Amino acid sequence: MPKVGMEPIRRRSLVEAAISAIHDRGSLDITIRDIALRAGVSQGLAHHYFGSKDALIVSAMRHLLTEYGLQVRRELKKADSARARISAIIHASLGPEQFRPETVSVWLVFYVHAQESKDAHALLSIYARRLSSNLVYSLRPLVGPRARTVAEGIASLIDGLYIRKALGSLERDVVAERLVEDYVERQLGDAFGKTE
């Protein structure tokens, strides 16, 4: 008879095992059996909790997105102005917490997986909408009707620089956060009619 309260612990263990397996393989070339062995549970139990490998992979990404969301909220609590909120979002997105090797592996694999999995694509869309809405909310008092366009530029820089940094193709002396902050400053300068 299963112990009461074990399901959340086993689910979390399976999600962490999936993240570890993706990191070790560098791809989704893993099985539910591989993940269950890492988690120390039966393959049947893994199927019982998640139903399929895709559902487990999506749960692993949801776990990372939840951690990211918590980091964004922690950073936003420190912000005392609209401009500081933008910097908080940039820091949460490109700060060291997002570059743990396992996190990077899952994000890179997930971007590819979202092209073929409807559930993964939906989750990636939620991430993109939340990032955009957080940015637009903070940008509106600073750039008015240009908020959506500027937010799209910031989000694109965040995602692109994340991938480049994760792959090691960003020059060593280039700080991703600083590049995004420079873009923001340029956009704010344009909003107030400043030119360089």
Side-chain angles (χ1 to χ4, degrees), residues 80-115:
D80 59 0
S81 67
R83 178 63 181 91
R85 285 180 57 85
I86 296 165
S87 291
I89 295 164
I90 294 166
H91 180 68
S93 301
L94 295 171
E97 300 82 10
Q98 296 305 318
F99 289 95
R100 291 184 319 239
E102 294 82 6
T103 302
V104 168
S105 296
V106 174
W107 266 106
L108 293 179
V109 167
F110 195 73
Y111 276 120
V112 175
H113 186 57
Q115 302 306 305

Coordinates of all heavy atoms in Angstrom, one line a residue, residues 80-115:
D80 N 12.1 49.6 -7.1 CA 11.3 50.7 -6.5 C 10.8 51.7 -7.6 O 10.4 52.8 -7.3 CB 12.1 51.4 -5.4 CG 13.4 52.0 -6.0 OD1 13.7 51.8 -7.2 OD2 14.2 52.6 -5.2
S81 N 11.0 51.3 -8.9 CA 10.5 52.2 -10.0 C 10.3 51.3 -11.2 O 10.7 50.2 -11.2 CB 11.6 53.2 -10.3 OG 12.8 52.6 -10.8
A82 N 9.6 51.9 -12.2 CA 9.4 51.2 -13.4 C 10.7 50.8 -14.1 O 10.8 49.7 -14.6 CB 8.6 52.1 -14.4
R83 N 11.7 51.7 -14.1 CA 13.0 51.4 -14.7 C 13.7 50.3 -13.9 O 14.3 49.4 -14.5 CB 13.9 52.6 -14.7 CG 15.2 52.4 -15.3 CD 15.2 52.0 -16.8 NE 16.4 51.7 -17.4 CZ 17.0 50.5 -17.4 NH1 16.5 49.5 -16.8 NH2 18.2 50.4 -18.0
A84 N 13.6 50.3 -12.6 CA 14.2 49.2 -11.8 C 13.5 47.9 -12.0 O 14.2 46.8 -12.0 CB 14.2 49.6 -10.3
R85 N 12.2 47.9 -12.3 CA 11.5 46.6 -12.6 C 12.1 46.0 -13.9 O 12.2 44.8 -14.0 CB 10.0 46.9 -12.8 CG 9.3 47.2 -11.5 CD 7.8 47.4 -11.7 NE 7.1 46.3 -12.5 CZ 6.6 45.2 -11.9 NH1 6.7 45.1 -10.6 NH2 6.0 44.3 -12.7
I86 N 12.4 46.8 -14.9 CA 12.9 46.3 -16.2 C 14.3 45.7 -15.9 O 14.5 44.5 -16.3 CB 13.0 47.4 -17.2 CG1 11.6 48.0 -17.6 CG2 13.7 46.9 -18.5 CD1 11.7 49.3 -18.3
S87 N 15.1 46.3 -15.1 CA 16.4 45.7 -14.8 C 16.2 44.5 -14.0 O 17.0 43.5 -14.2 CB 17.2 46.7 -14.0 OG 17.6 47.8 -14.8
A88 N 15.2 44.4 -13.1 CA 15.0 43.2 -12.3 C 14.7 42.0 -13.2 O 15.1 40.9 -13.0 CB 13.9 43.5 -11.3
I89 N 13.8 42.3 -14.2 CA 13.4 41.2 -15.1 C 14.6 40.7 -16.0 O 14.8 39.5 -16.2 CB 12.3 41.7 -16.1 CG1 11.0 42.0 -15.2 CG2 12.0 40.7 -17.2 CD1 10.0 42.8 -16.0
I90 N 15.4 41.7 -16.4 CA 16.7 41.3 -17.2 C 17.6 40.5 -16.3 O 18.1 39.5 -16.7 CB 17.4 42.6 -17.7 CG1 16.5 43.3 -18.7 CG2 18.7 42.3 -18.3 CD1 16.9 44.8 -19.0
H91 N 17.8 40.9 -15.1 CA 18.7 40.2 -14.2 C 18.2 38.8 -13.9 O 18.9 37.8 -13.9 CB 18.9 40.9 -12.9 CG 19.9 40.2 -12.0 ND1 21.2 40.1 -12.2 CD2 19.6 39.6 -10.8 CE1 21.8 39.4 -11.3 NE2 20.8 39.1 -10.4
A92 N 16.9 38.7 -13.6 CA 16.3 37.3 -13.4 C 16.4 36.4 -14.6 O 16.6 35.2 -14.4 CB 14.8 37.5 -13.0
S93 N 16.4 37.0 -15.8 CA 16.4 36.2 -17.0 C 17.8 35.8 -17.4 O 18.0 34.8 -18.0 CB 15.8 37.0 -18.2 OG 14.5 37.3 -17.9
L94 N 18.8 36.7 -17.1 CA 20.2 36.4 -17.6 C 21.2 36.3 -16.4 O 22.4 36.2 -16.6 CB 20.6 37.5 -18.5 CG 19.8 37.6 -19.8 CD1 20.2 38.9 -20.6 CD2 20.1 36.4 -20.7
G95 N 20.7 36.2 -15.2 CA 21.6 36.1 -14.0 C 22.1 34.7 -13.9 O 21.7 33.7 -14.6
P96 N 23.0 34.5 -13.0 CA 23.7 33.2 -12.9 C 22.8 32.0 -12.6 O 23.1 30.9 -13.0 CB 24.7 33.4 -11.7 CG 24.4 34.7 -11.1 CD 23.5 35.5 -12.1
E97 N 21.7 32.2 -11.9 CA 20.8 31.1 -11.6 C 20.2 30.4 -12.8 O 20.0 29.2 -12.8 CB 19.6 31.6 -10.7 CG 19.9 32.3 -9.4 CD 20.3 33.7 -9.6 OE1 20.2 34.3 -10.7 OE2 20.9 34.3 -8.6
Q98 N 20.1 31.2 -13.9 CA 19.6 30.6 -15.1 C 20.6 29.8 -15.9 O 20.3 29.2 -17.0 CB 19.0 31.7 -16.0 CG 17.8 32.4 -15.4 CD 16.7 31.4 -15.0 OE1 16.4 30.5 -15.7 NE2 16.1 31.6 -13.8
F99 N 21.9 29.9 -15.5 CA 22.9 29.2 -16.3 C 23.6 28.0 -15.6 O 24.7 27.6 -15.9 CB 24.0 30.3 -16.6 CG 23.5 31.2 -17.7 CD1 23.0 32.4 -17.3 CD2 23.5 30.8 -19.0 CE1 22.5 33.3 -18.3 CE2 23.0 31.7 -20.0 CZ 22.5 32.9 -19.6
R100 N 22.8 27.4 -14.6 CA 23.2 26.1 -14.1 C 23.2 25.1 -15.3 O 22.3 25.2 -16.1 CB 22.3 25.6 -13.0 CG 22.3 26.5 -11.7 CD 21.4 25.9 -10.7 NE 20.2 25.4 -11.2 CZ 19.0 25.8 -10.9 NH1 18.8 26.7 -9.9 NH2 17.9 25.4 -11.5
P101 N 24.2 24.3 -15.4 CA 24.3 23.4 -16.5 C 23.0 22.6 -16.8 O 22.6 22.5 -18.0 CB 25.5 22.4 -16.2 CG 26.3 23.2 -15.2 CD 25.4 24.1 -14.4
E102 N 22.4 22.1 -15.8 CA 21.2 21.3 -16.1 C 20.0 22.2 -16.6 O 19.3 21.8 -17.5 CB 20.7 20.6 -14.8 CG 21.6 19.6 -14.2 CD 22.7 20.1 -13.4 OE1 22.8 21.4 -13.2 OE2 23.6 19.3 -13.0
T103 N 20.0 23.4 -16.1 CA 18.9 24.3 -16.6 C 19.2 24.7 -18.0 O 18.2 24.7 -18.8 CB 18.9 25.6 -15.7 OG1 18.7 25.3 -14.3 CG2 17.9 26.6 -16.1
V104 N 20.4 25.0 -18.4 CA 20.7 25.3 -19.8 C 20.4 24.1 -20.7 O 19.8 24.3 -21.7 CB 22.2 25.7 -19.9 CG1 22.7 25.7 -21.3 CG2 22.5 27.0 -19.2
S105 N 20.8 22.9 -20.3 CA 20.5 21.8 -21.2 C 19.0 21.6 -21.4 O 18.6 21.4 -22.6 CB 21.0 20.5 -20.5 OG 22.4 20.5 -20.4
V106 N 18.2 21.7 -20.4 CA 16.8 21.6 -20.6 C 16.2 22.7 -21.4 O 15.4 22.4 -22.3 CB 16.0 21.4 -19.2 CG1 14.5 21.4 -19.4 CG2 16.5 20.2 -18.5
W107 N 16.6 23.9 -21.2 CA 16.1 25.0 -22.0 C 16.4 24.8 -23.5 O 15.5 25.0 -24.3 CB 16.7 26.4 -21.5 CG 15.8 27.1 -20.5 CD1 16.0 27.2 -19.2 CD2 14.6 27.8 -20.8 NE1 15.0 28.0 -18.6 CE2 14.1 28.4 -19.6 CE3 13.9 28.1 -22.0 CZ2 13.0 29.1 -19.5 CZ3 12.7 28.8 -21.9 CH2 12.3 29.3 -20.7
L108 N 17.7 24.5 -23.8 CA 18.0 24.3 -25.2 C 17.3 23.2 -25.8 O 16.8 23.4 -27.0 CB 19.6 24.1 -25.3 CG 20.4 25.3 -24.9 CD1 21.9 24.9 -25.0 CD2 20.1 26.5 -25.7
V109 N 17.1 22.1 -25.1 CA 16.4 21.0 -25.7 C 14.9 21.3 -25.8 O 14.2 21.0 -26.8 CB 16.6 19.7 -24.8 CG1 15.6 18.6 -25.2 CG2 18.0 19.2 -25.0
F110 N 14.4 22.1 -24.9 CA 13.0 22.4 -24.9 C 12.6 23.4 -26.0 O 11.6 23.2 -26.6 CB 12.6 23.1 -23.5 CG 11.1 23.1 -23.3 CD1 10.4 22.0 -23.0 CD2 10.4 24.3 -23.4 CE1 9.0 22.0 -22.8 CE2 9.1 24.4 -23.3 CZ 8.4 23.2 -22.9
Y111 N 13.5 24.3 -26.4 CA 13.2 25.2 -27.5 C 13.0 24.3 -28.8 O 12.1 24.6 -29.6 CB 14.4 26.1 -27.8 CG 14.4 27.4 -26.9 CD1 15.5 27.7 -26.1 CD2 13.4 28.3 -27.0 CE1 15.5 28.8 -25.3 CE2 13.4 29.5 -26.3 CZ 14.4 29.7 -25.4 OH 14.4 30.9 -24.7
V112 N 13.8 23.3 -29.0 CA 13.7 22.4 -30.1 C 12.4 21.6 -30.0 O 11.7 21.4 -30.9 CB 14.9 21.5 -30.3 CG1 14.8 20.5 -31.4 CG2 16.2 22.4 -30.5
H113 N 12.2 21.0 -28.8 CA 11.0 20.1 -28.6 C 9.7 20.9 -28.8 O 8.7 20.3 -29.3 CB 11.1 19.6 -27.2 CG 10.1 18.6 -26.8 ND1 9.9 17.4 -27.6 CD2 9.1 18.5 -25.9 CE1 8.9 16.7 -27.1 NE2 8.4 17.4 -26.0
A114 N 9.7 22.2 -28.5 CA 8.5 23.0 -28.7 C 8.0 23.0 -30.1 O 6.9 23.4 -30.4 CB 8.7 24.3 -28.1
Q115 N 8.9 22.8 -31.1 CA 8.6 22.8 -32.5 C 7.7 21.6 -32.9 O 7.0 21.7 -33.9 CB 9.9 22.8 -33.4 CG 10.8 24.0 -33.1 CD 10.1 25.3 -33.2 OE1 9.5 25.6 -34.2 NE2 10.1 26.1 -32.1

